Amino acid sequence: MVPEAKFPLMIFPVLSCSCRFGVLEGDKGIGRSPLLEVRGNVELKRPLVKAPSRLPLPGTRFKRRPDQMEDALEPEKKRTRGLDTVTKMATSHPRAPALTARPQMQGQTTAPKVPKKTGPRCSTAIATVLKNQKPGPAVPAQKPAAAAPPLLGGKKPTKRPAWDLKGQLCDLNAQLQCFRERTQTLNQENQQLQDQLQEAQQQARALGAECRTLEGELARVQAQAEQSQQELGNLRAHVLELEEQLGTQEGLVQELQKERLGLQEERRGLATRLEEQERRLQASEAALSGSQAEVASLRQEAAAQAAALVEQGERLHGLEMERRRLHNQLQELKGNIRVFCRVRPVLAGEPTPSPGFLLFPSGPGGPSDPPTRLSVSRSDDRRGTLSGAPAPTTRHDFSFDRVFPPGSGQDQVFEEIAMLVQSALDGYPVCIFAYGQTGSGKTFTMEGGPGGDPQVEGLIPRALRHLFSVAQELGGQGWTYSFVASYVEIYNETVRDLLATGTRKGQGGECEIRRAGPGSEELTVTNARYVPVSCEKEVEALLHVARQNRAVARTSQNERSSRSHSVFQLQISGEHAGRGLQCGAPLSLVDLAGSERLDPGLALGPGERERLRETQAINSSLSTLGLVIMALSNKESHVPYRNSKLTYLLQNSLGGSAKMLMFVNISPLEENVSESLNSLRFASKVNQCVIGTAQANRK
C-alpha cells in the first residue's frame, strides 16, 4: 500500500482590493484610512468582498471560511483595535457627524463615514484620527488602544500641527502610495502561491490516481498469488495421484506383457485358421458364382410367376364376377320373393296339439328332401249334425319355398338364407320379414333368445357375422367394405329410434323419413343414430339397447307382445380400389308386429282402447305391405309406398332390383288355428308374386 501523501499547510493572506483605490484588506498590522474608506464607500456604494481561500487544510474534510482562516491566523488579542482616538474626536468636536460602523459581511470590515465638506474643526479631527490610528482592519473596539504603532520605515512621524492640512494630505498621499506598492507586491506573491497551490493539487490528484492504480494492481497480484497457491496445491495433489496411477499402470503393463505373449500365440493359431478360411472362401466364391446363375434363373421364374399371378388375379376377378352372376341367377331361380314357413315348438305349460293337427308332407325327392308343404286340419263346430255326430275335419294345404317344422334350429334356418344375405355384399338390396300373430316366434327368429346362448342366436347376429367373415375373405381380392347400422321402430305410424340413449331416449316422434339428398334415391331417418360396426360385439350391444327401448304390452295372446314394427338396416358399401369398382346396398331385417285380427266382442276399457288403436295401425300397415307386393308383382305404374311408414321406409328394398324373403311364423296350438290360417293365406298370396330380374347397385 502506498502511504497517503501529506502536504504542509501553506498559509498566505487572502487579499481583496477595492476596484478604485486598491486598498488591501485582511493584512496583519495594516490599517485603512478613515478618509479613504469614506470616499470609497461614497463613490462605490457597495461593500468590499474578500475572495475566499481554496487552500485545503490537512486532516479535515471541510473548508474553512475566509473569516475562520483569518481568525486562525491572528491571535485573539491582535484582532481588537483601539478606538480611543475616534472617541476623542467625537468628544472634542461635537458638531462633526459621528462615525458609524457598517455591518461586516463575509469577513469584510467597514470604516465610519466622513462627510465630504470639512471645516477647520473637521480637519483637526481627521488629522487627530490619522495621527493616532493604528493600521489594521477596522473592527469595533471594546477598549481604547494604549498607544499607536510607528509608521513606515520604523521612524516615528513628525507630528504636524492641526492647521497644516496640506502637509497632512501629502503625508496621506505618500502613505497611500506605499500601501499601493505593498498591495501590488502582495498580489504578485498571492498569484505565485495560487499557482503553486494549483500545481500541488494537480500533483496530489495524480498521486491519488496512481495510488488507486497501485492498490488495484496490488489486489490483483494478491489474488493471483492466492490462485497460484491454490493451483500449486492442486498440482501437488494431482502429482500424488499421478504417482499412484503410475504405480498401477506399471502393474498393468506387466500384466499386458503377459497377455501380449498369450495373444501372440493366439495370433499364430488365428493365422492358421485364416489360411483355412481363405481356402473355404475360395470354394464359397466358386459356389456363389454358381448360385448367382441360379438366382438369375429364379428371378426369371419369379417374373414369370408374377405375370402368371397377374393373369390369375384377372382370372380370379372374372370368376368372382361370374360367381356373383351365377349366385344372383340362382337366387332369381329360387324367386326374388320367397316365403318360408316356420312353426314354433310347443312351450312348457301349453297343451299338446292332436296328432293330425299339423302335417309336414315329404318333398318330391322323398324324406331326404327338406319339406316345402304344410297341412292344417281344422274341425268346424258350426257344421255339427242334428244327430250329435262329430263335425267333419277340414284340411288346408299350403306350399312354400321351405317349411321348418317345430324341431328346426336357428342354424338350419340361417343356412337357408345365408346365400341371400351374401347377395347384399354383391350390391343387391335384401329385405327379410318375420310375419305372424303375436306369440308365434317372430322376435325369436330375428333376434334370438335371451342369455347369449350361441345356439339360439337369431338371424340378425348370424347374418352380420356371416357378412363380416365374407368381407374379410374378399379383402384378399382387393375389396374393402364398411358397415353402418341403424335400428328403428314404427309404432302407431310414428318412427322411433331404438338406439337412442340418454336425453334422446323416447324422442322417436322427432324422427322423419327423408331423402338423403336432392335427386338421391337413398332414404334416411332424421335424428336417428347411424352406428358404424365392424365386429359381433358391437352388434350385440346395439341389439341389447334396442330390446330395452322397443314398445311392448300385454295382450290376450302374450304377456309381452311387440306392438310395433322393428326395422334393423345395415348399409353396406364396398370398393375395389385397384379396378375402380364400387357397390352398395341395404340389408333390412324386419320384425313385424302381431297380425291378429280385432275381437268384435271385446269390451273397450282404457287399456283396451289403446290396444285397439295399436292393432288398427298394425293391420293397416300390414295391409299396405300386401298391396305394395301385389302392385310390384302386377307391375302397376303406381305402387302405394307412402300409404304406410313401413313401406315408405323399405321402398328401396321392395322394388324390382331387390330380393325379398318372408318368414311366416305360426303357432302349433289348436286354439290359434284361425290366426294361423289367416297368416298362411297372406303368405301364400305373397309367394305367388313374381318380381322382375334384380339389378346390382354398382358404380
Side-chain angles (χ1 to χ4, degrees), residues 330-560:
L330 176 62
Q331 298 301 318
E332 288 179 351
L333 290 175
K334 291 183 177 181
N336 286 337
I337 297 181
R338 285 182 283 173
V339 179
F340 290 171
C341 178
R342 185 180 188 185
V343 182
R344 72 168 178 83
V346 179
L347 303 178
E350 293 181 343
T352 303
S354 60
F357 176 62
L358 293 176
L359 297 177
F360 302 94
S362 301
S368 59
D369 285 351
T372 59
R373 293 182 297 169
L374 173 67
S375 297
V376 180
S377 299
R378 177 183 181 183
S379 59
D380 193 353
D381 296 337
R382 294 176 297 178
R383 296 184 180 183
T385 60
L386 296 176
S387 61
T393 302
T394 305
R395 182 176 178 178
H396 303 273
D397 296 328
F398 299 95
S399 177
F400 301 103
D401 295 284
R402 176 70 189 268
V403 176
F404 295 96
S408 301
Q410 297 279 63
D411 53 344
Q412 296 177 358
V413 175
F414 179 73
E415 185 178 356
E416 285 294 326
I417 68 167
M419 301 301 292
L420 180 63
V421 170
Q422 187 173 346
S423 296
L425 289 176
D426 299 338
Y428 297 96
V430 176
C431 183
I432 300 176
F433 292 100
Y435 176 82
Q437 72 178 100
T438 298
S440 60
K442 303 185 300 298
T443 303
F444 179 82
T445 300
M446 300 303 295
E447 298 182 5
D453 187 1
Q455 297 297 328
V456 296
E457 283 184 341
L459 298 184
I460 295 177
R462 291 176 183 270
L464 266 69
R465 184 187 305 112
H466 180 72
L467 290 176
F468 293 152
S469 176
V470 176
Q472 187 175 4
E473 294 177 1
L474 293 178
Q477 301 179 13
W479 286 92
T480 57
Y481 287 90
S482 62
F483 306 91
V484 179
S486 65
Y487 209 163
V488 299
E489 71 171 353
I490 301 175
Y491 176 77
N492 286 343
E493 290 301 303
T494 301
V495 182
R496 295 180 178 178
D497 184 14
L498 292 179
L499 302 181
T501 57
T503 57
R504 299 179 62 252
K505 188 174 181 180
Q507 296 180 356
E510 299 179 1
C511 298
E512 295 292 339
I513 303 173
R514 294 285 186 270
R515 296 282 181 182
S520 174
E521 295 296 330
E522 182 180 355
L523 295 176
T524 61
V525 179
T526 60
N527 298 327
R529 288 181 62 195
Y530 286 84
V531 184
V533 292
S534 58
C535 62
E536 304 172 19
K537 292 184 179 180
E538 296 177 353
V539 177
E540 293 176 0
L542 295 181
L543 294 178
H544 179 71
V545 174
R547 291 192 193 100
Q548 295 178 346
N549 294 339
R550 190 172 181 186
V552 295
R554 179 181 178 182
T555 63
S556 60
Q557 302 292 332
N558 196 352
E559 284 290 331
R560 185 176 175 84

Side-chain angles (χ1 to χ4, degrees), residues 93-221:
H93 303 281
R95 292 183 180 180
L99 296 177
T100 59
R102 299 182 62 185
Q104 203 175 21
M105 298 177 60
Q106 299 182 356
Q108 176 184 356
T109 59
T110 57
K113 294 184 179 180
V114 180
K116 294 182 180 180
K117 295 180 181 182
T118 57
R121 295 181 180 178
C122 183
S123 60
T124 304
I126 293 174
T128 305
V129 171
L130 292 178
K131 181 178 181 181
N132 298 327
Q133 185 179 5
K134 182 180 178 181
V139 295
Q142 302 295 333
K143 297 180 181 179
L151 295 177
L152 297 176
K155 296 181 181 180
K156 187 175 182 180
T158 305
K159 184 176 181 181
R160 294 182 183 273
W163 53 264
D164 191 2
L165 295 177
K166 187 175 182 179
Q168 291 179 6
L169 181 60
C170 291
D171 293 341
L172 288 175
N173 288 333
Q175 186 179 3
L176 176 61
Q177 183 65 27
C178 292
F179 284 159
R180 287 179 177 175
E181 292 176 358
R182 187 175 180 183
T183 299
Q184 185 177 4
T185 303
L186 292 176
N187 285 336
Q188 294 176 357
E189 291 178 358
N190 187 18
Q191 184 65 33
Q192 293 176 1
L193 291 175
Q194 288 182 355
D195 295 340
Q196 292 177 3
L197 175 60
Q198 292 179 359
E199 183 178 357
Q201 289 177 349
Q202 293 177 358
Q203 292 178 1
R205 285 194 292 271
L207 290 175
E210 185 177 0
C211 179
R212 289 190 293 273
T213 304
L214 292 176
E215 287 178 353
E217 186 69 20
L218 178 59
R220 185 177 62 80
V221 170

Side-chain angles (χ1 to χ4, degrees), residues 429 515 521-523 586 647-655 657-658:
R515 296 282 181 182
E521 295 296 330
E522 182 180 355
L523 295 176
T647 54
Y648 183 44
L649 178 61
L650 298 176
Q651 62 176 322
N652 293 333
S653 300
L654 300 176
S657 62

